[in-house]
Amino acid sequence: MTTANALPEPPLPTLQRLNATIPADLDAKTIAKAWFAAFAKSAEAGDVQGVTQLFVEDAFWRDMLALTWDFRTFSGLQKITQFLTDRLGSARPKAFTLRDDAYLGLQQPYPDIAWINLFFDFETESGIAFGIARLIPNGNGEWKAHTVYTNLEDLKGFPEKIGPLRNAAPNHGKWVDDRKKEIEFQDKAPTVLIVGGGQSGLEVAARLKALDIPTLIVEKNQRIGDNWRNRYDALCLHDPVWYDHMPYLPFPPTWPVYTPAVKLANWLESYAEALELNVWTASSVVSATQEGESWNVRISRGDGTERNFTVRHIVFATGLGSNDGVFPTYPGMDKFKGQLLHSSRHKSAADHLGKKVVVIGACTSAHDICVDYFEQGVDVTMYQRGPTYVMSTSNGWKVLMEGVYSEGGLPTEIADRLNASFPHHSNVGLAQRSTKAIAELDKDLLDGLRARGFLLTDGIQGTGFGLLAWSKAGGYYLDTGASQLIADGKIKLKNGSLIESFTETGLKFEDGSELAADVVVFATGLGDSGAHIRKVCGEEVAKSVKPVWGLDPEGELK
């Protein structure tokens, strides 16, 4: 699959391209320490040239807030030089310390690719920071940085109130009343208002709570977790538990690898309670108008009352789509005598026993829903509008996550930072290799799908699922069983022709074929996330907000 704006494909730092070899007696720690000493000295002195001479020409530097107060990736020595010229003087990095730990040393992900990995800590004028560097060999025997990653860990003077800084005072009989007062914000307004109490809203609130910043979550549903609880019954996460841990309260070791939606919903509800997050459920933000550096907010509560606050910050944690989802329109839909619904409104295949069902779409929700129909004996056909990237979770996660997000893998705090240290554009070549490896392992499954006529793609420029997720949050299916049902003909398949119109009894296609249906489920996406901002803040504010999701020219998430 290619895109209108093709991603850059920087060459991989293979030993052949670098005209380099790895000596059998390589002392990786000595090389890392020498490089780091020169790097720290130059960075502390504000010596841009001294820093950049330690990098290869096509290097990357990814910074998350530490030096830029933003999420930025600088590719190539020219851009890195300009970035350091702009930021070293004001950020004033210092107190560099190399971590002499298990992660310091030579790593060789492929026989023809090798780097020396090192972790380090440092400070800036405002914060405590962390970094990762990967050094690659040159033909002359020198090792220089190919990738550097820097991340802001803490703000000086604003430590999280965890561990030794937790509340140490006994509380005899006052906790219940104290919590009620805190949740109600009887005597003060929150500093931050979060719209939406799903996992993202809860995680932001948890972090702010630890920083002692008064925060209120406003959730429209009756209960925390209803954003998952109210979806279709067959919904289950397709990414593994090690990738899904939340701040301060990881999932227990008894937790299943793939979390059912209702189980996750209950966890989110207990998470909010355990971390004492301030949540108003069955409530909605009616309006928010900006006045200077603050926002005047009106909230409608479930009991019919309204509250008005002036807050400094509003966070929209309302997901990637709108409430209604994308519902394509076709001629004749008004004449169709069956039922039309979007996947966001679908609940269970049991609602349509004895019916003929067509599911429009061929990504995750469509596959899940089709499996549910098949398992409950319903005649179901998937209509595929375009090619889909398919990767089995059994093989795919082993290639992509083994040793990082896996049983016995890295601690989450290390895995997350290591994952973030690979800029998206720098990772294109590695992703292409991983995609080919997964396809080889999935060969029988993919061949079965092709034989059935299922349209496949290898992702954006052959990178598989990752860049599809970051670029469009769709276009793929992480297979947990539906693909074999399609290959076996148990889930029927229709593609190869566009829908021309609906008839009274089904769908008619441009090639003249027809498909009978009593129920048509549209698994066609979740719409524009800007709709939530538009509804609360108005059209002008919505227009001023940058697009949400997709990669910007630097490869950072919008």
Side-chain angles (χ1 to χ4, degrees), residues 236-302:
C236 178
L237 299 191
H238 290 210
D239 40 276
V241 61
W242 309 283
Y243 190 70
D244 295 333
H245 288 303
M246 297 173 69
Y248 311 117
L249 196 62
F251 296 108
T254 55
W255 202 262
V257 173
Y258 300 107
T259 308
V262 175
K263 185 175 180 65
L264 178 61
N266 294 341
W267 172 265
L268 296 179
E269 193 168 45
S270 64
Y271 182 88
E273 175 64 26
L275 271 63
E276 299 185 9
L277 306 183
N278 303 320
V279 183
W280 289 0
T281 54
S283 302
S284 59
V285 180
V286 177
S287 65
T289 56
Q290 192 168 18
E291 184 176 336
E293 295 184 352
S294 299
W295 293 85
N296 296 321
V297 178
R298 183 160 62 95
I299 302 170
S300 174
R301 303 194 67 180

Side-chain angles (χ1 to χ4, degrees), residues 357-371:
V357 177
V358 174
V359 177
I360 297 178
C363 295
T364 301
S365 293
H367 281 82
D368 284 351
I369 291 169
C370 283
V371 170

Side-chain angles (χ1 to χ4, degrees), residues 244-404:
D244 295 333
H245 288 303
M246 297 173 69
Y248 311 117
L249 196 62
F251 296 108
T254 55
W255 202 262
V257 173
Y258 300 107
T259 308
V262 175
K263 185 175 180 65
L264 178 61
N266 294 341
W267 172 265
L268 296 179
E269 193 168 45
S270 64
Y271 182 88
E273 175 64 26
L275 271 63
E276 299 185 9
L277 306 183
N278 303 320
V279 183
W280 289 0
T281 54
S283 302
S284 59
V285 180
V286 177
S287 65
T289 56
Q290 192 168 18
E291 184 176 336
E293 295 184 352
S294 299
W295 293 85
N296 296 321
V297 178
R298 183 160 62 95
I299 302 170
S300 174
R301 303 194 67 180
D303 61 4
T305 63
E306 286 194 352
R307 288 285 299 276
N308 296 289
F309 289 123
T310 299
V311 303
R312 291 295 304 275
H313 308 279
I314 301 177
V315 176
F316 280 85
T318 46
L320 292 180
S322 63
N323 293 332
D324 299 325
V326 177
F327 211 127
T329 57
Y330 296 97
M333 292 177 78
D334 57 329
K335 299 177 182 178
F336 179 58
K337 293 184 177 180
Q339 181 182 2
L340 302 174
L341 72 160
H342 191 270
S343 61
S344 60
R345 299 292 182 264
H346 171 72
K347 188 62 178 172
S348 172
D351 297 335
H352 304 130
L353 297 179
K355 305 288 187 179
K356 283 185 177 294
V357 177
V358 174
V359 177
I360 297 178
C363 295
T364 301
S365 293
H367 281 82
D368 284 351
I369 291 169
C370 283
V371 170
D372 188 27
Y373 279 121
F374 167 76
E375 289 181 344
Q376 300 209 43
V378 176
D379 184 325
V380 60
T381 300
M382 175 185 288
Y383 171 62
Q384 184 185 27
R385 299 178 296 169
T388 307
Y389 175 71
V390 174
M391 174 194 93
S392 73
T393 54
S394 57
N395 290 323
W397 292 143
K398 187 174 182 63
V399 171
L400 296 173
M401 293 188 175
E402 186 72 23
V404 182

